[in-house]
Amino acid sequence: MSNTTPDGTQLQHWMPKFQRELRKRLVSKAFSEVYTGPDRIITNPYGNDPTGYDGASSTSYSVTDFTLGADEMSVSRRAGAAEHIDNIEQLQTRYDLAQDRSERHSYVTRDKIDQYMLALPVAAGASVQDVDAGYMSSGVSNGTPIASSDSNINDTANAIVERLGIVNGATDKGIFWAISPFELTDVSGFSQSNGYNTADAAIKNGVIDGQPFAGINKLIVTNNLTHTQVLGLATNVTAGDTITVAGVTFTARATPSLPGEFDIGADADATRVILTNAINGSATGQDSATGYFEVSEEDRLKLSRLQISAVDSPSGNTMTVTSRGTLITSETLTDGTDAWATVKRHTIAGVMNSLFLALPTDGGEYEKKAVSGKHGREVTTSQIYNGTIWSRNYEQILDVVMS
Amino acid sequence: MSQPVKGSAEWFEQKKQARADLDMRLSLGLPHSSKPLNNSVVDLTKLADTAEAAAAKKAAAKAKRDAAKAKKAAAKADTK
């Protein structure tokens, strides 16, 4: 047997299946304007607003100059997956490996593109309005997440609709709100206990992805929203203390030797640096008794799928973990005053099609090749893409920070 | 203050408080600390009182000094 995946009809279907699955599952397609052309650079010119006038009729009038600005985006990103498959796997697998892997590659690529698109409003910083606890109480955002519940989720939805109305958003195109399963639970709970007709329908059918809610035309449920969470660590850890991030446990040891173990530094500041390196899989201190021992391959995959990264703050006595997916953490730090702060979930709301996604139809690639010194074949699947928020669309998008 | 035993009810309660403290500190832009936030809150009213009292004391001392200076100047004028 020369190939790990059979040549012939099934293999010919790999690329179409990959692209079909990708386009079907891509959440960002639902709320973005999608361009599928092969262009390298996309230019989006926009004009200034005319001044306009009104008053008593007069023969003279004032004229202002029309000016044109332009945004540009290079279609320069690539998301995909590459695997080496030993021919023994193909031989002993009781299902069609080619079909399975093409589907799996599309899911991974989907996650990466969605994670990138949903992080754009967060990365835009002050250009995109944050709707948080401060905004809800005084109209000025303060970085504190809204403590979402099944009794107040409608208030957040109302605030989204109101804000997009205030900024003259093109709400006639429809409003979307990309939420995590946690917010969906609150929406379901709210719908099941308010209004006889709504409650009856919600109890019977539940609330599902794509449904409208409180002025929002479409709820989009995804696990690819950006999350941030801060760990306060001001007292040095004790041997055996653990920090768990997205199901991966890091254990403090006086002398680490096993995957997932990290060294207890001279003080809390030093320990936080080692822990940060361990989460990031940094080359600094890797597989060293004075650093950390790299987690298992399976655990690293869990972290990399969520694109988890940690940043230490010596002045704040904290470490911030950012994830481009639903983040669940825990800790068993002996010191009772050190703990995780409340997680911030950056749900994204806005006018439909206010984000821009370039996804060239011919931007997919599939390659299968022999690898020197290895049995089997390497299979690579990828998709060219890029996304942006055009300057004039910033106001039509909201970073709704929930917890 | 002794630490509660890890895993005890007191420890979980302390963790709950620690999370609330950290949330508050982050919203105020303060660094995390092992000291509970309520122990480090400054009573601004008292602070203002103290500041006012200090200012009044300072003003009184200055007035006393000025009076002494004036008295001395008057005595000097009389001698002439």
Side-chain angles (χ1 to χ4, degrees):
Chain A
M1 188 174 176
S2 59
N3 291 332
T4 55
T5 47
D7 286 327
T9 319
Q10 286 173 332
L11 202 55
Q12 285 168 21
H13 288 304
W14 180 300
M15 197 65 223
K17 184 180 173 69
F18 167 79
Q19 289 200 304
R20 194 168 58 244
E21 285 294 325
L22 178 63
R23 279 157 178 69
K24 197 161 68 183
R25 312 271 174 194
L26 208 53
V27 160
S28 343
K29 272 192 77 183
F31 58 79
S32 303
E33 182 183 355
V34 182
Y35 178 68
T36 56
D39 307 69
R40 180 185 291 268
I41 295 172
I42 295 169
T43 305
N44 184 26
Y46 54 86
N48 63 331
D49 287 332
T51 306
Y53 59 83
D54 179 32
S57 176
S58 167
T59 48
S60 61
Y61 54 91
S62 61
V63 182
T64 55
D65 290 337
F66 167 72
T67 56
L68 201 62
D71 286 330
E72 258 189 21
M73 182 188 77
S74 297
V75 185
S76 56
R77 297 183 69 85
R78 181 184 279 122
E83 292 181 301
H84 174 258
I85 306 174
D86 195 316
N87 66 332
I88 197 168
E89 305 295 349
Q90 174 66 28
L91 176 71
Q92 296 170 358
T93 300
R94 291 289 179 265
Y95 54 87
D96 186 339
L97 201 57
Q99 290 291 304
D100 173 70
R101 298 325 287 172
S102 67
E103 197 172 84
R104 296 278 181 153
H105 282 205
S106 73
Y107 293 166
V108 170
T109 308
R110 179 274 315 264
D111 283 345
K112 300 293 181 200
I113 296 176
D114 276 345
Q115 286 167 1
Y116 181 77
M117 293 300 291
L118 288 163
L120 283 175
V122 184
S127 298
V128 166
Q129 175 69 49
D130 281 3
V131 174
D132 53 20
Y135 180 89
M136 293 298 287
S137 61
S138 67
V140 181
S141 64
N142 65 353
T144 304
I146 300 164
S148 174
S149 75
D150 60 7
S151 61
N152 71 4
I153 191 90
N154 61 320
D155 293 336
T156 310
N158 290 342
I160 291 169
V161 176
E162 180 190 79
R163 173 71 195 181
L164 294 173
I166 290 169
V167 298
N168 292 322
T171 50
D172 54 317
K173 289 183 182 174
I175 299 173
F176 74 93
W177 188 13
I179 56 174
S180 80
F182 293 109
E183 283 76 39
L184 182 67
T185 301
D186 291 338
V187 169
S188 297
F190 179 87
S191 302
Q192 286 162 355
S193 56
N194 287 283
Y196 295 115
N197 291 341
T198 309
D200 285 348
I203 290 167
K204 186 181 167 198
N205 306 321
V207 174
I208 56 166
D209 194 4
Q211 258 185 239
F213 172 68
I216 307 282
N217 300 78
K218 193 171 189 176
L219 289 174
I220 296 166
V221 184
T222 172
N223 270 324
N224 288 322
L225 295 168
T226 298
H227 288 51
T228 55
Q229 195 166 14
V230 173
L231 174 72
L233 202 154
T235 304
N236 209 354
V237 299
T238 304
D241 284 0
T242 60
I243 302 288
T244 303
V245 178
V248 179
T249 301
F250 298 89
T251 308
R253 295 281 182 223
T255 312
S257 61
L258 298 172
E261 292 183 347
F262 65 96
D263 186 39
I264 300 170
D267 53 26
D269 284 350
T271 300
R272 271 198 327 275
V273 170
I274 297 170
L275 177 61
T276 302
N277 287 336
I279 292 171
N280 291 336
S282 162
T284 308
Q286 192 174 85
D287 297 332
S288 153
T290 55
Y292 74 96
F293 277 76
E294 172 62 348
V295 294
S296 69
E297 204 174 318
E298 189 184 349
D299 280 348
R300 181 54 63 194
L301 184 65
K302 286 181 192 169
L303 298 171
S304 68
R305 283 202 78 158
L306 293 173
Q307 302 192 50
I308 282 178
S309 64
V311 176
D312 175 48
S313 167
S315 60
N317 294 325
T318 55
M319 176 187 71
T320 302
V321 172
T322 301
S323 153
R324 287 187 175 181
T326 301
L327 178 64
I328 295 173
T329 60
S330 61
E331 48 84 15
T332 64
L333 296 168
T334 301
D335 188 279
T337 62
D338 285 334
W340 286 104
T342 302
V343 68
K344 286 185 193 177
R345 296 193 294 273
H346 293 269
T347 69
I348 305 300
V351 169
M352 286 284 189
N353 299 344
S354 47
L355 282 89
F356 183 84
L357 172 64
L359 197 70
T361 307
D362 297 328
E365 182 197 38
Y366 163 71
E367 198 179 1
K368 180 179 170 187
K369 53 194 169 192
V371 183
S372 175
K374 283 186 176 181
H375 294 289
R377 292 288 186 274
E378 181 186 303
V379 281
T380 306
T381 324
S382 66
Q383 172 69 46
I384 305 275
Y385 82 101
N386 205 353
T388 193
I389 305 170
W390 301 124
S391 298
R392 291 297 167 102
N393 279 354
Y394 277 130
E395 285 194 329
Q396 310 213 31
I397 297 164
L398 302 170
D399 178 359
V400 187
V401 190
M402 310 288 279
S403 67
Chain B
M1 195 178 86
S2 63
Q3 278 284 335
V5 178
K6 187 171 166 177
S8 64
E10 292 79 15
W11 181 78
F12 280 111
E13 190 51 43
Q14 201 175 14
K15 288 281 176 188
K16 204 170 139 189
Q17 186 58 45
R19 168 171 285 205
D21 273 8
L22 183 54
D23 285 343
M24 181 62 82
R25 282 175 180 279
L26 293 171
S27 70
L28 295 171
L30 297 171
H32 171 63
S33 168
S34 54
K35 287 179 187 163
L37 195 62
N38 56 4
N39 281 1
S40 56
V41 166
V42 176
D43 188 336
L44 293 176
T45 323
K46 282 184 184 165
L47 193 70
D49 287 350
T50 313
E52 278 171 16
K57 201 174 169 185
K58 207 173 166 186
K62 191 174 181 292
K64 203 175 170 183
R65 267 200 318 275
D66 289 346
K69 211 185 270 177
K71 201 175 171 187
K72 207 173 173 184
K76 207 174 177 184
D78 285 351
T79 318
K80 282 181 181 174

